[in-house]
Amino acid sequence: FIAAKKLYDDDNDEKAITMLEEFKARFPYSKLAVEAELLVANAFFKLQKFEEASYSYRQFVKMHPTNSMAPFAQFRIGESYWRISPEAINREQEYTQKALDEWKILISNYPTSKESQEAQTLIPKGEEKIAKSHEFIANFYYKKEKWHACAYRFHILSEKYPEYINSKKSSLLKAAFAFEQLAKEKNDKNNDENLYFKNFSQKDLLEKARELRLKAE
């Protein structure tokens, strides 16, 4: 373990991971095995292997939820996803959402930790990034007259992220128009174009449009 730890401290992380994994396999009940688990996760993180890091941190929290380093590991699960998430708002933000989900678990399970406080400052930034992405994509579909996809994105925006909409009135009116156009296309319920609102009647779609127009006033 000492040799593996030295490799880790010297940023020889690939070899450190190999030696630490060997140590864990040979001495699974050693007190140092717990530290070895966390060092493996940290080494993956330093190597920017964030998928592997998130998995390793998750295993650590699962096996040692009361360990003093569990809040740190839980924070790092979210941070690993955050590092993967794209900055460009024209890209899907699934990893951003995963990061937020993990940080919300952190806040729920370890509310007094310093990591929880840091997560609370990052969550609004992530929500804003997700909102901007939905808005960008919604406007793209609006221009392409892809009404079901446009309505879906604007629906998410208005329901989950209203405080982050750049031009609230304009976005709400576009959303309303998309729902109105979708109502006109409602004849074929089995069409994949109606995927997100398949269970909405024409009346439901028009009512949603009316609600959005009222919000825009």
Side-chain angles (χ1 to χ4, degrees):
F1 176 84
I2 294 174
K5 179 69 163 55
K6 187 176 187 310
L7 287 170
Y8 171 84
D9 291 338
D10 292 340
D11 292 329
N12 198 340
D13 296 302
E14 293 280 8
K15 288 185 178 180
I17 290 170
T18 300
M19 290 188 69
L20 288 165
E21 293 286 10
E22 289 176 358
F23 176 81
K24 285 164 52 186
R26 291 181 63 190
F27 308 103
Y29 303 110
S30 167
K31 291 182 180 180
L32 294 173
V34 177
E35 185 178 351
E37 290 175 30
L38 189 59
L39 287 175
V40 167
N42 288 342
F44 277 129
F45 191 87
K46 286 201 295 177
L47 288 167
Q48 298 185 24
K49 294 185 176 182
F50 297 118
E51 293 276 11
E52 293 90 337
S54 66
Y55 174 81
S56 297
Y57 285 123
R58 190 182 303 280
Q59 289 300 108
F60 182 89
V61 174
K62 181 179 178 180
M63 297 301 296
H64 315 288
T66 60
N67 188 281
S68 62
M69 294 302 292
F72 167 80
Q74 182 63 46
F75 179 84
R76 274 289 178 87
I77 300 172
E79 189 178 4
S80 296
Y81 289 132
W82 186 261
R83 296 294 187 93
I84 298 170
S85 67
E87 285 296 326
I89 61 171
N90 64 342
R91 302 270 304 280
E92 292 287 355
Q93 297 294 326
E94 59 180 310
Y95 283 111
T96 306
Q97 185 60 61
K98 285 183 177 183
L100 302 192
D101 291 343
E102 296 298 337
W103 285 335
K104 288 174 183 177
I105 291 172
L106 166 66
I107 293 167
S108 175
N109 293 348
Y110 309 100
T112 61
S113 66
K114 63 179 177 24
E115 289 84 5
S116 178
Q117 294 175 9
E118 185 173 356
Q120 290 181 55
T121 67
L122 290 169
I123 286 173
K125 296 178 182 178
E127 289 179 339
E128 184 176 14
K129 187 161 69 165
I130 292 171
K132 286 182 177 179
S133 176
H134 280 305
E135 190 171 24
F136 178 91
I137 295 169
N139 282 316
F140 171 81
Y141 284 130
Y142 187 87
K143 292 175 183 177
K144 295 291 183 180
E145 299 185 359
K146 299 289 185 181
W147 303 119
H148 86 293
C150 175
Y152 172 68
R153 296 287 179 165
F154 275 129
H155 176 69
I156 293 175
L157 261 178
S158 64
E159 293 296 319
K160 294 184 67 175
Y161 309 104
E163 67 271 36
Y164 297 113
I165 300 174
N166 286 331
S167 179
K168 192 169 184 178
K169 183 174 181 178
S170 173
S171 292
L172 288 171
L173 289 175
K174 285 179 181 178
F177 185 77
F179 275 102
E180 289 162 354
Q181 297 307 306
L182 195 58
K184 293 179 182 179
E185 299 174 357
K186 191 59 185 173
N187 295 331
D188 184 4
K189 293 185 178 181
N190 295 317
N191 191 320
D192 286 343
E193 291 294 300
N194 290 320
L195 177 63
Y196 298 115
F197 301 101
K198 189 174 287 188
N199 297 323
F200 278 47
S201 67
Q202 188 178 54
K203 182 179 178 181
D204 292 333
L205 293 167
L206 290 173
E207 177 59 24
K208 186 64 181 176
R210 188 186 72 83
E211 290 174 7
L212 290 164
R213 287 193 181 279
L214 286 173
K215 285 183 180 180
E217 292 180 356

Short mmCIF file of all heavy atoms in Angstrom, two decimals, residues 98-149:
data_model
loop_
_atom_site.label_atom_id
_atom_site.label_comp_id
_atom_site.label_asym_id
_atom_site.label_seq_id
_atom_site.Cartn_x
_atom_site.Cartn_y
_atom_site.Cartn_z
N LYS A 98 -27.30 14.80 -14.69
CA LYS A 98 -26.80 13.75 -13.78
C LYS A 98 -26.00 14.36 -12.64
O LYS A 98 -26.11 13.91 -11.49
CB LYS A 98 -25.93 12.75 -14.55
CG LYS A 98 -26.72 11.79 -15.43
CD LYS A 98 -25.79 10.77 -16.10
CE LYS A 98 -26.56 9.76 -16.91
NZ LYS A 98 -25.68 8.74 -17.51
N ALA A 99 -25.19 15.35 -12.96
CA ALA A 99 -24.41 16.03 -11.91
C ALA A 99 -25.34 16.66 -10.87
O ALA A 99 -25.13 16.50 -9.66
CB ALA A 99 -23.52 17.10 -12.54
N LEU A 100 -26.38 17.35 -11.33
CA LEU A 100 -27.32 17.99 -10.42
C LEU A 100 -28.04 16.96 -9.55
O LEU A 100 -28.24 17.17 -8.35
CB LEU A 100 -28.34 18.82 -11.19
CG LEU A 100 -27.81 19.94 -12.09
CD1 LEU A 100 -28.96 20.84 -12.53
CD2 LEU A 100 -26.75 20.76 -11.40
N ASP A 101 -28.41 15.85 -10.17
CA ASP A 101 -29.10 14.79 -9.42
C ASP A 101 -28.22 14.26 -8.29
O ASP A 101 -28.69 14.02 -7.17
CB ASP A 101 -29.50 13.64 -10.35
CG ASP A 101 -30.59 14.03 -11.34
OD1 ASP A 101 -31.27 15.05 -11.10
OD2 ASP A 101 -30.76 13.31 -12.34
N GLU A 102 -26.93 14.07 -8.59
CA GLU A 102 -26.01 13.55 -7.57
C GLU A 102 -25.77 14.57 -6.47
O GLU A 102 -25.67 14.21 -5.29
CB GLU A 102 -24.68 13.14 -8.22
CG GLU A 102 -24.79 12.00 -9.21
CD GLU A 102 -25.28 10.70 -8.59
OE1 GLU A 102 -25.13 10.52 -7.36
OE2 GLU A 102 -25.82 9.86 -9.32
N TRP A 103 -25.70 15.84 -6.84
CA TRP A 103 -25.49 16.87 -5.82
C TRP A 103 -26.72 17.04 -4.94
O TRP A 103 -26.60 17.36 -3.75
CB TRP A 103 -25.10 18.18 -6.49
CG TRP A 103 -23.67 18.16 -6.98
CD1 TRP A 103 -22.65 17.39 -6.50
CD2 TRP A 103 -23.12 18.93 -8.05
NE1 TRP A 103 -21.49 17.64 -7.20
CE2 TRP A 103 -21.75 18.58 -8.16
CE3 TRP A 103 -23.63 19.87 -8.93
CZ2 TRP A 103 -20.90 19.14 -9.11
CZ3 TRP A 103 -22.79 20.44 -9.88
CH2 TRP A 103 -21.45 20.08 -9.96
N LYS A 104 -27.89 16.82 -5.51
CA LYS A 104 -29.11 16.89 -4.69
C LYS A 104 -29.16 15.73 -3.69
O LYS A 104 -29.65 15.89 -2.57
CB LYS A 104 -30.34 16.90 -5.59
CG LYS A 104 -30.51 18.22 -6.32
CD LYS A 104 -31.65 18.19 -7.33
CE LYS A 104 -31.74 19.51 -8.09
NZ LYS A 104 -32.80 19.49 -9.12
N ILE A 105 -28.64 14.56 -4.10
CA ILE A 105 -28.53 13.43 -3.17
C ILE A 105 -27.56 13.80 -2.05
O ILE A 105 -27.81 13.52 -0.88
CB ILE A 105 -28.04 12.17 -3.91
CG1 ILE A 105 -29.13 11.66 -4.86
CG2 ILE A 105 -27.66 11.07 -2.91
CD1 ILE A 105 -28.67 10.53 -5.78
N LEU A 106 -26.46 14.44 -2.41
CA LEU A 106 -25.47 14.90 -1.42
C LEU A 106 -26.13 15.82 -0.40
O LEU A 106 -25.96 15.64 0.82
CB LEU A 106 -24.33 15.63 -2.14
CG LEU A 106 -23.38 16.45 -1.28
CD1 LEU A 106 -22.57 15.56 -0.35
CD2 LEU A 106 -22.46 17.30 -2.16
N ILE A 107 -26.87 16.81 -0.88
CA ILE A 107 -27.52 17.79 0.01
C ILE A 107 -28.53 17.10 0.92
O ILE A 107 -28.66 17.44 2.10
CB ILE A 107 -28.19 18.90 -0.83
CG1 ILE A 107 -27.11 19.73 -1.53
CG2 ILE A 107 -29.07 19.79 0.04
CD1 ILE A 107 -27.64 20.66 -2.61
N SER A 108 -29.24 16.11 0.37
CA SER A 108 -30.24 15.38 1.15
C SER A 108 -29.60 14.50 2.21
O SER A 108 -30.06 14.47 3.36
CB SER A 108 -31.10 14.53 0.22
OG SER A 108 -32.01 13.74 0.95
N ASN A 109 -28.51 13.80 1.84
CA ASN A 109 -27.92 12.81 2.75
C ASN A 109 -26.87 13.39 3.69
O ASN A 109 -26.67 12.87 4.79
CB ASN A 109 -27.29 11.67 1.95
CG ASN A 109 -28.33 10.83 1.22
OD1 ASN A 109 -29.53 10.96 1.48
ND2 ASN A 109 -27.91 9.99 0.30
N TYR A 110 -26.19 14.46 3.24
CA TYR A 110 -25.11 15.05 4.06
C TYR A 110 -25.28 16.58 4.09
O TYR A 110 -24.42 17.33 3.62
CB TYR A 110 -23.74 14.68 3.48
CG TYR A 110 -23.57 13.20 3.24
CD1 TYR A 110 -23.72 12.64 1.96
CD2 TYR A 110 -23.25 12.33 4.28
CE1 TYR A 110 -23.56 11.28 1.74
CE2 TYR A 110 -23.08 10.96 4.07
CZ TYR A 110 -23.25 10.45 2.80
OH TYR A 110 -23.08 9.09 2.58
N PRO A 111 -26.41 17.05 4.62
CA PRO A 111 -26.76 18.48 4.51
C PRO A 111 -25.80 19.44 5.20
O PRO A 111 -25.71 20.61 4.80
CB PRO A 111 -28.15 18.54 5.17
CG PRO A 111 -28.21 17.35 6.07
CD PRO A 111 -27.43 16.29 5.37
N THR A 112 -25.08 18.98 6.22
CA THR A 112 -24.19 19.89 6.95
C THR A 112 -22.76 19.87 6.44
O THR A 112 -21.91 20.59 6.97
CB THR A 112 -24.20 19.53 8.46
OG1 THR A 112 -23.71 18.18 8.63
CG2 THR A 112 -25.60 19.64 9.03
N SER A 113 -22.48 19.07 5.44
CA SER A 113 -21.10 18.96 4.94
C SER A 113 -20.72 20.19 4.13
O SER A 113 -21.57 20.86 3.54
CB SER A 113 -20.95 17.71 4.06
OG SER A 113 -21.73 17.84 2.89
N LYS A 114 -19.42 20.47 4.08
CA LYS A 114 -18.94 21.60 3.28
C LYS A 114 -19.16 21.33 1.79
O LYS A 114 -19.37 22.26 1.00
CB LYS A 114 -17.47 21.90 3.57
CG LYS A 114 -16.48 20.83 3.22
CD LYS A 114 -15.07 21.30 3.54
CE LYS A 114 -13.96 20.33 3.31
NZ LYS A 114 -14.09 19.25 2.40
N GLU A 115 -19.13 20.04 1.42
CA GLU A 115 -19.39 19.68 0.02
C GLU A 115 -20.82 20.01 -0.37
O GLU A 115 -21.09 20.43 -1.50
CB GLU A 115 -19.11 18.19 -0.20
CG GLU A 115 -17.66 17.79 -0.15
CD GLU A 115 -17.15 17.53 1.27
OE1 GLU A 115 -17.98 17.59 2.23
OE2 GLU A 115 -15.96 17.27 1.44
N SER A 116 -21.73 19.84 0.59
CA SER A 116 -23.14 20.18 0.33
C SER A 116 -23.28 21.68 0.05
O SER A 116 -24.03 22.09 -0.84
CB SER A 116 -24.00 19.77 1.52
OG SER A 116 -25.34 20.13 1.32
N GLN A 117 -22.57 22.48 0.80
CA GLN A 117 -22.62 23.93 0.60
C GLN A 117 -22.10 24.31 -0.78
O GLN A 117 -22.66 25.19 -1.46
CB GLN A 117 -21.82 24.63 1.69
CG GLN A 117 -22.41 24.48 3.09
CD GLN A 117 -21.53 25.07 4.17
OE1 GLN A 117 -20.54 25.74 3.87
NE2 GLN A 117 -21.88 24.81 5.43
N GLU A 118 -21.02 23.64 -1.20
CA GLU A 118 -20.47 23.92 -2.53
C GLU A 118 -21.45 23.50 -3.62
O GLU A 118 -21.62 24.20 -4.62
CB GLU A 118 -19.13 23.20 -2.71
CG GLU A 118 -18.44 23.54 -4.01
CD GLU A 118 -17.04 22.95 -4.13
OE1 GLU A 118 -16.57 22.33 -3.15
OE2 GLU A 118 -16.42 23.11 -5.18
N ALA A 119 -22.09 22.35 -3.42
CA ALA A 119 -23.06 21.86 -4.39
C ALA A 119 -24.21 22.85 -4.57
O ALA A 119 -24.69 23.07 -5.68
CB ALA A 119 -23.59 20.50 -3.97
N GLN A 120 -24.63 23.46 -3.47
CA GLN A 120 -25.74 24.42 -3.54
C GLN A 120 -25.40 25.65 -4.38
O GLN A 120 -26.31 26.29 -4.94
CB GLN A 120 -26.14 24.83 -2.13
CG GLN A 120 -26.83 23.71 -1.35
CD GLN A 120 -27.26 24.15 0.04
OE1 GLN A 120 -27.97 25.14 0.20
NE2 GLN A 120 -26.83 23.44 1.05
N THR A 121 -24.13 25.98 -4.48
CA THR A 121 -23.73 27.11 -5.33
C THR A 121 -23.62 26.71 -6.80
O THR A 121 -23.75 27.56 -7.68
CB THR A 121 -22.37 27.69 -4.88
OG1 THR A 121 -21.33 26.73 -5.12
CG2 THR A 121 -22.39 28.05 -3.40
N LEU A 122 -23.41 25.42 -7.05
CA LEU A 122 -23.24 24.95 -8.42
C LEU A 122 -24.55 24.56 -9.09
O LEU A 122 -24.68 24.68 -10.31
CB LEU A 122 -22.29 23.74 -8.44
CG LEU A 122 -20.83 24.04 -8.12
CD1 LEU A 122 -20.05 22.75 -7.91
CD2 LEU A 122 -20.18 24.86 -9.24
N ILE A 123 -25.52 24.10 -8.32
CA ILE A 123 -26.78 23.64 -8.89
C ILE A 123 -27.48 24.72 -9.73
O ILE A 123 -27.92 24.43 -10.86
CB ILE A 123 -27.71 23.08 -7.79
CG1 ILE A 123 -27.19 21.71 -7.33
CG2 ILE A 123 -29.15 22.95 -8.29
CD1 ILE A 123 -27.92 21.13 -6.14
N PRO A 124 -27.60 25.97 -9.27
CA PRO A 124 -28.23 26.99 -10.12
C PRO A 124 -27.50 27.21 -11.44
O PRO A 124 -28.14 27.46 -12.47
CB PRO A 124 -28.18 28.25 -9.25
CG PRO A 124 -28.11 27.75 -7.85
CD PRO A 124 -27.28 26.51 -7.92
N LYS A 125 -26.18 27.09 -11.43
CA LYS A 125 -25.41 27.23 -12.67
C LYS A 125 -25.76 26.12 -13.65
O LYS A 125 -25.89 26.33 -14.85
CB LYS A 125 -23.91 27.23 -12.38
CG LYS A 125 -23.44 28.41 -11.54
CD LYS A 125 -21.95 28.31 -11.23
CE LYS A 125 -21.49 29.46 -10.35
NZ LYS A 125 -20.04 29.36 -10.00
N GLY A 126 -25.90 24.90 -13.11
CA GLY A 126 -26.27 23.78 -13.95
C GLY A 126 -27.68 23.90 -14.48
O GLY A 126 -27.93 23.61 -15.67
N GLU A 127 -28.60 24.35 -13.65
CA GLU A 127 -29.99 24.53 -14.08
C GLU A 127 -30.07 25.58 -15.19
O GLU A 127 -30.83 25.42 -16.15
CB GLU A 127 -30.86 24.93 -12.89
CG GLU A 127 -31.09 23.79 -11.91
CD GLU A 127 -31.94 24.21 -10.73
OE1 GLU A 127 -32.01 25.43 -10.47
OE2 GLU A 127 -32.51 23.32 -10.07
N GLU A 128 -29.29 26.65 -15.05
CA GLU A 128 -29.29 27.69 -16.08
C GLU A 128 -28.75 27.15 -17.40
O GLU A 128 -29.28 27.47 -18.47
CB GLU A 128 -28.46 28.89 -15.61
CG GLU A 128 -28.50 30.05 -16.59
CD GLU A 128 -27.77 31.27 -16.09
OE1 GLU A 128 -27.01 31.15 -15.10
OE2 GLU A 128 -27.95 32.35 -16.69
N LYS A 129 -27.71 26.33 -17.31
CA LYS A 129 -27.13 25.75 -18.53
C LYS A 129 -28.13 24.83 -19.22
O LYS A 129 -28.28 24.86 -20.45
CB LYS A 129 -25.84 25.00 -18.20
CG LYS A 129 -25.09 24.52 -19.43
CD LYS A 129 -23.64 24.19 -19.16
CE LYS A 129 -23.46 22.99 -18.30
NZ LYS A 129 -22.06 22.47 -18.33
N ILE A 130 -28.84 24.02 -18.44
CA ILE A 130 -29.85 23.13 -18.99
C ILE A 130 -30.97 23.95 -19.63
O ILE A 130 -31.44 23.64 -20.73
CB ILE A 130 -30.41 22.20 -17.90
CG1 ILE A 130 -29.33 21.20 -17.45
CG2 ILE A 130 -31.64 21.43 -18.41
CD1 ILE A 130 -29.71 20.39 -16.23
N ALA A 131 -31.40 24.99 -18.94
CA ALA A 131 -32.48 25.84 -19.46
C ALA A 131 -32.09 26.49 -20.78
O ALA A 131 -32.88 26.51 -21.74
CB ALA A 131 -32.84 26.91 -18.43
N LYS A 132 -30.88 27.02 -20.84
CA LYS A 132 -30.42 27.67 -22.07
C LYS A 132 -30.33 26.67 -23.22
O LYS A 132 -30.62 27.01 -24.37
CB LYS A 132 -29.06 28.33 -21.83
CG LYS A 132 -29.14 29.61 -21.01
CD LYS A 132 -27.76 30.24 -20.84
CE LYS A 132 -27.86 31.56 -20.08
NZ LYS A 132 -26.53 32.18 -19.89
N SER A 133 -29.95 25.44 -22.89
CA SER A 133 -29.89 24.40 -23.92
C SER A 133 -31.29 24.09 -24.46
O SER A 133 -31.50 24.01 -25.67
CB SER A 133 -29.26 23.13 -23.34
OG SER A 133 -29.27 22.09 -24.30
N HIS A 134 -32.26 23.92 -23.55
CA HIS A 134 -33.64 23.68 -23.97
C HIS A 134 -34.16 24.83 -24.82
O HIS A 134 -34.82 24.61 -25.84
CB HIS A 134 -34.54 23.49 -22.76
CG HIS A 134 -34.47 22.13 -22.14
ND1 HIS A 134 -34.69 20.97 -22.86
CD2 HIS A 134 -34.20 21.73 -20.87
CE1 HIS A 134 -34.57 19.92 -22.05
NE2 HIS A 134 -34.26 20.35 -20.85
N GLU A 135 -33.84 26.05 -24.41
CA GLU A 135 -34.32 27.22 -25.15
C GLU A 135 -33.71 27.29 -26.54
O GLU A 135 -34.40 27.58 -27.53
CB GLU A 135 -34.02 28.50 -24.36
CG GLU A 135 -34.68 29.73 -24.93
CD GLU A 135 -34.55 30.92 -24.00
OE1 GLU A 135 -33.61 30.96 -23.17
OE2 GLU A 135 -35.38 31.83 -24.10
N PHE A 136 -32.41 27.02 -26.62
CA PHE A 136 -31.73 27.03 -27.92
C PHE A 136 -32.35 26.00 -28.85
O PHE A 136 -32.66 26.28 -30.02
CB PHE A 136 -30.24 26.76 -27.74
CG PHE A 136 -29.46 26.70 -29.03
CD1 PHE A 136 -28.88 27.84 -29.55
CD2 PHE A 136 -29.34 25.51 -29.74
CE1 PHE A 136 -28.17 27.80 -30.75
CE2 PHE A 136 -28.64 25.46 -30.94
CZ PHE A 136 -28.06 26.62 -31.44
N ILE A 137 -32.53 24.78 -28.34
CA ILE A 137 -33.05 23.69 -29.16
C ILE A 137 -34.51 23.94 -29.52
O ILE A 137 -34.95 23.66 -30.65
CB ILE A 137 -32.88 22.34 -28.43
CG1 ILE A 137 -31.38 22.03 -28.26
CG2 ILE A 137 -33.55 21.21 -29.20
CD1 ILE A 137 -31.07 20.86 -27.34
N ALA A 138 -35.27 24.50 -28.57
CA ALA A 138 -36.67 24.83 -28.85
C ALA A 138 -36.78 25.84 -29.99
O ALA A 138 -37.61 25.69 -30.90
CB ALA A 138 -37.34 25.38 -27.59
N ASN A 139 -35.93 26.87 -29.97
CA ASN A 139 -35.95 27.88 -31.03
C ASN A 139 -35.52 27.29 -32.37
O ASN A 139 -36.03 27.68 -33.43
CB ASN A 139 -35.05 29.05 -30.65
CG ASN A 139 -35.71 29.98 -29.64
OD1 ASN A 139 -36.88 30.31 -29.78
ND2 ASN A 139 -34.97 30.38 -28.62
N PHE A 140 -34.58 26.34 -32.31
CA PHE A 140 -34.15 25.65 -33.55
C PHE A 140 -35.34 24.91 -34.15
O PHE A 140 -35.60 25.01 -35.36
CB PHE A 140 -33.01 24.68 -33.22
CG PHE A 140 -32.65 23.77 -34.36
CD1 PHE A 140 -31.83 24.21 -35.39
CD2 PHE A 140 -33.14 22.47 -34.42
CE1 PHE A 140 -31.49 23.38 -36.44
CE2 PHE A 140 -32.81 21.63 -35.46
CZ PHE A 140 -31.99 22.09 -36.49
N TYR A 141 -36.07 24.15 -33.33
CA TYR A 141 -37.23 23.40 -33.83
C TYR A 141 -38.34 24.34 -34.28
O TYR A 141 -39.09 24.02 -35.21
CB TYR A 141 -37.74 22.44 -32.76
CG TYR A 141 -36.89 21.21 -32.58
CD1 TYR A 141 -36.46 20.81 -31.31
CD2 TYR A 141 -36.53 20.42 -33.67
CE1 TYR A 141 -35.69 19.68 -31.14
CE2 TYR A 141 -35.76 19.29 -33.51
CZ TYR A 141 -35.33 18.92 -32.24
OH TYR A 141 -34.56 17.80 -32.08
N TYR A 142 -38.45 25.49 -33.62
CA TYR A 142 -39.46 26.48 -34.02
C TYR A 142 -39.20 26.95 -35.46
O TYR A 142 -40.12 27.02 -36.27
CB TYR A 142 -39.43 27.66 -33.06
CG TYR A 142 -40.52 28.67 -33.27
CD1 TYR A 142 -41.76 28.52 -32.65
CD2 TYR A 142 -40.33 29.79 -34.07
CE1 TYR A 142 -42.78 29.44 -32.83
CE2 TYR A 142 -41.34 30.72 -34.27
CZ TYR A 142 -42.56 30.54 -33.64
OH TYR A 142 -43.57 31.46 -33.83
N LYS A 143 -37.95 27.25 -35.74
CA LYS A 143 -37.58 27.70 -37.10
C LYS A 143 -37.81 26.59 -38.12
O LYS A 143 -38.16 26.86 -39.27
CB LYS A 143 -36.12 28.14 -37.12
CG LYS A 143 -35.84 29.42 -36.33
CD LYS A 143 -34.36 29.73 -36.29
CE LYS A 143 -34.07 30.96 -35.43
NZ LYS A 143 -32.61 31.23 -35.33
N LYS A 144 -37.60 25.33 -37.70
CA LYS A 144 -37.78 24.19 -38.60
C LYS A 144 -39.23 23.73 -38.68
O LYS A 144 -39.56 22.81 -39.42
CB LYS A 144 -36.91 23.02 -38.13
CG LYS A 144 -35.41 23.27 -38.21
CD LYS A 144 -34.93 23.34 -39.64
CE LYS A 144 -33.42 23.50 -39.71
NZ LYS A 144 -32.94 23.58 -41.11
N GLU A 145 -40.09 24.36 -37.87
CA GLU A 145 -41.51 24.02 -37.79
C GLU A 145 -41.73 22.57 -37.38
O GLU A 145 -42.67 21.90 -37.82
CB GLU A 145 -42.22 24.33 -39.12
CG GLU A 145 -42.17 25.79 -39.49
CD GLU A 145 -42.97 26.13 -40.74
OE1 GLU A 145 -43.56 25.21 -41.35
OE2 GLU A 145 -43.00 27.32 -41.12
N LYS A 146 -40.87 22.10 -36.49
CA LYS A 146 -41.03 20.78 -35.88
C LYS A 146 -41.81 21.00 -34.57
O LYS A 146 -41.23 21.12 -33.49
CB LYS A 146 -39.67 20.15 -35.61
CG LYS A 146 -38.82 19.92 -36.85
CD LYS A 146 -39.41 18.80 -37.70
CE LYS A 146 -38.49 18.47 -38.88
NZ LYS A 146 -39.06 17.40 -39.72
N TRP A 147 -43.12 21.05 -34.69
CA TRP A 147 -43.93 21.58 -33.60
C TRP A 147 -43.95 20.69 -32.36
O TRP A 147 -43.98 21.20 -31.24
CB TRP A 147 -45.35 21.86 -34.09
CG TRP A 147 -45.38 22.80 -35.26
CD1 TRP A 147 -45.87 22.56 -36.50
CD2 TRP A 147 -44.87 24.14 -35.29
NE1 TRP A 147 -45.71 23.65 -37.31
CE2 TRP A 147 -45.09 24.64 -36.60
CE3 TRP A 147 -44.24 24.97 -34.35
CZ2 TRP A 147 -44.72 25.92 -36.98
CZ3 TRP A 147 -43.87 26.25 -34.73
CH2 TRP A 147 -44.10 26.72 -36.02
N HIS A 148 -43.94 19.38 -32.54
CA HIS A 148 -44.01 18.53 -31.35
C HIS A 148 -42.73 18.65 -30.53
O HIS A 148 -42.77 18.76 -29.30
CB HIS A 148 -44.27 17.06 -31.74
CG HIS A 148 -43.05 16.28 -32.05
ND1 HIS A 148 -42.25 16.53 -33.15
CD2 HIS A 148 -42.45 15.26 -31.38
CE1 HIS A 148 -41.23 15.69 -33.15
NE2 HIS A 148 -41.32 14.91 -32.10
N ALA A 149 -41.57 18.68 -31.20
CA ALA A 149 -40.29 18.81 -30.49
C ALA A 149 -40.15 20.20 -29.88
O ALA A 149 -39.65 20.36 -28.76
CB ALA A 149 -39.13 18.52 -31.44
#
